[in-house]
Amino acid sequence: MMHRRRFAFSRALFLAVLAGLVAVFSGCRSVPDLRDGEGEKRGLDWNASTVSTELAGNDPIEPFNRTMFTCTDVCMHFIVQPVGYVYGSILPMEVIKRINYASDNLAFPARMFSCFLQGQWKGGGVEFLRFLTNSTIGIAGFFDPADAWFDLVRQEEDFGQAFGYWNIGPGCYFILPFLTSTNVRDTVGCVFDRAADLKSYIPYIGYLTTLNSFVSSYDPYDTMTENAYDAYDTMKVILSLVRYAQVENFHHRLLLPQESDFGKAQLPPELYEADIVHVAAPYGAQNPLVDTLKGSFFKVKRRNAGWWIKTSLWNTDFVPKAKTRRIHFADGTDGADRMRFQIWCQEDPAAPLVLLLPGAGGHFRAEMLRALAEIYYEEGCTVAVLASTLNPEFFLPASLGLPGDVARDVPAVRKALGKVIEKVKEEFKLTPSAVIGCGYSLGGLHMLHLASLEEKEGNPLNITRFVSINPPADLHYALRKMDALCEIPRNMTKEEFFQMAGDAAMKLYLASSERSGALGILHPVGKRDVSAGEKPSGKEKNASAKKQENGEAEGILWEDRKYLPLTPEQAGWVSGTYMRMGLRELLLAAQRNSPEGKELLKTPYSWWSRTDLYREIDTYNWSSYAEKLLLPCLKQQEKNLDMASLGKRASLRKIEKTLRNNPRVRVLHNQDDPLLTPQDALFLDRSLGRKLVWFDCGGHLGNLFLPEYREKLLDASFKGIGLKKVNVGTAEKPEERWKVSAENGENGSWK
């Protein structure tokens, strides 16, 4: 009887929503018209505000939406996470995963009907065959032999996409707690998805699958939001573009990239004096701009490597091992000046201490920073990581005002590192045998300027080695380059831009999903021609995915080189936009924390509504930020300062003497880094000599996942510092510790 009543209620709900659909959408915004009109317009500034407004409409109920988003965020952190500690400590990760598989199998009607409603008869048939296969051979859907054995790939479809196919507009931006929809149309689509889900008609099973889904989704949710200063706006921009790509079915018509000279490196004709590591063949080099995005493949290896999820008490992954601590940036004070950092401690108090700095705008929880920390931690080092000077986590507690001036930022970095060293020695009773400083991109530039500053004042931090990865030789040129990449769409019409952006968004979305093999991201050398864009078979992609899933892949081998099917223009625009999003957070935080009456921007900050403020922020790029905001701020103390002087004191040419003569400096760089000019490359080569290692490809930070890179990085960090790893355990239970050793002299070995 209960089953019948529930079925009747669900059916009534389905019919009620269906009957009210016309009324709901009568006031909705129509489908975005992204086609070119009679007069094609070029030169438009497609920034985050204009793109999200064009795709998702205005945000007239932003206060309501922000409140709903905050409710979701609070519940995820204060309800789902604690529940996850208990639930995830009882059920192993594999069991939770299989429950999600079975739940997804029962939800197949929504995907099947969505395919049929869009005329995708093959896709609907595939979903039905998947259900039959997984329900029988896959034991009630707990396994997915349909994909693994028969290449019947899950269709990424839902009713919201079907409504979009029918030219029903998205309506206004609209959020409800715990729903993934971001507009009125998709919210109604979620109701239809729920009504078509077989779990809605099976008593009690929905409670278990919902709990299971929430617990398993906490880690991805936390990863997406933990580094954002304004997570609501960041997710609004990203999800609007991804949803547009889904509704327009870009996954069924991905464009194959064509050969292009755009963004190709121009190397100086002179011979290099430094060592060159040739990795183009195992790496699978494409275009420098595309290769730059391959930096996203450099991830923490030990993630989901054991039996337990992230929130479990028994989890042994690398990230949860970190301890978050705070330092008081100003002596004798407390409160707003407390700067956060994370540290991974070794049991050996004498283990070398490695201090890591991220690239421009990077958070101390950035994925690339954590992956770098893992490399050092696996070698027996204690590792501490800080945020970038351009991130609110650093410049607000450091009271920098507006960051970006190397002459002010580097002393602040030095002060922060000094306090971190003092803090970890006092709290964790560490007596590090060496202190290694390492940074990448902007963090690498700061590390080299720090080496110069320490050299002048007798190295009070007692840093043994300064390691810099892909530092921009001319910071202002690098920022102008990123601005130019972000403005690539100015040469496109509206239709051309959204075709390019939608295709790129879908490719990156698929690349980050479990089914990334569908893009042909893994191309075994000798079996497949990368330039032909061939895709791996179902068995090949599942074998590679399984290897990575289990944390077994130490790095990529010749058989597993990466490939991204993006055009150089797409890759350049994505990189430039990523940098511009960092500027948005910087300016939002600066405006929010400006003293009353001395606001940085014209539009006031409001918790409830920030749409107009973001529109003003998006009129700035990095160059105009430096010229119109940073420079006037600095001229209050340095009246004769101009842009040329500001650029010179940020350049590595200003510290050429340190680069030539300081034996503690080491640099790793890529010959085709798009942020280097040929003159910059030649300058670094001549100044650093054997203290520099070149890689023949990789763009900007795009090859850090290579095992060859790991080897050279560790050599740069430890070779010649007078320490050596030795076994202090037994043959049955070996244990390596760092010990002082004369064998690791200038040309010695640290292994």
Side-chain angles (χ1 to χ4, degrees), residues 259-310:
E259 281 292 326
S260 173
D261 292 331
F262 182 80
K264 283 192 175 180
Q266 297 178 352
L267 303 179
E270 293 84 352
L271 294 177
Y272 284 87
E273 295 181 356
D275 292 334
I276 301 177
V277 181
H278 297 278
V279 293
Y283 176 69
Q286 294 174 254
N287 179 282
L289 295 176
V290 178
D291 289 344
T292 295
L293 292 186
K294 293 180 184 178
S296 61
F297 294 123
F298 183 50
K299 298 180 179 180
V300 172
K301 291 188 302 180
R302 190 161 186 81
R303 169 174 283 145
N304 298 329
W307 286 13
W308 309 96
I309 62 174
K310 181 179 178 179

Side-chain angles (χ1 to χ4, degrees), residues 59-116:
D59 197 352
I61 55 172
E62 184 178 354
F64 172 82
N65 287 331
R66 284 189 175 273
T67 302
M68 295 299 101
F69 182 84
T70 301
C71 288
T72 300
D73 193 61
V74 170
C75 290
M76 290 297 288
H77 289 297
F78 295 100
I79 296 179
V80 175
Q81 185 183 24
V83 170
Y85 281 125
V86 178
Y87 188 85
S89 299
I90 297 173
L91 295 183
M93 178 169 53
E94 193 65 23
V95 174
I96 294 175
K97 179 180 177 181
R98 296 304 163 189
I99 293 175
N100 281 336
Y101 273 28
S103 174
D104 187 70
N105 187 57
L106 292 173
F108 89 97
R111 298 190 295 273
M112 182 180 70
F113 289 137
S114 177
C115 288
F116 289 153

Side-chain angles (χ1 to χ4, degrees), residues 11 35 52 80 112 128 144 176 192 214 266 278 309 336 469 488 612 659 728:
R11 183 175 59 183
R35 297 170 299 176
S52 61
V80 175
M112 182 180 70
F128 184 70
D144 190 3
L176 290 178
F192 277 76
F214 276 133
Q266 297 178 352
H278 297 278
I309 62 174
I469 301 172
I488 286 174
D612 291 337
L659 301 183
V728 297

Side-chain angles (χ1 to χ4, degrees), residues 311-333:
T311 54
S312 170
L313 296 173
W314 323 121
N315 183 276
T316 59
D317 289 355
F318 174 71
V319 173
K321 290 181 180 179
K323 299 177 176 64
T324 301
R325 294 294 185 267
R326 297 173 184 263
I327 55 172
H328 293 291
F329 197 82
D331 296 327
T333 64

Side-chain angles (χ1 to χ4, degrees), residues 194-207:
R194 178 67 175 171
D197 192 336
L198 297 182
K199 296 189 296 293
S200 299
Y201 309 101
I202 304 176
Y204 306 113
I205 193 172
Y207 299 120

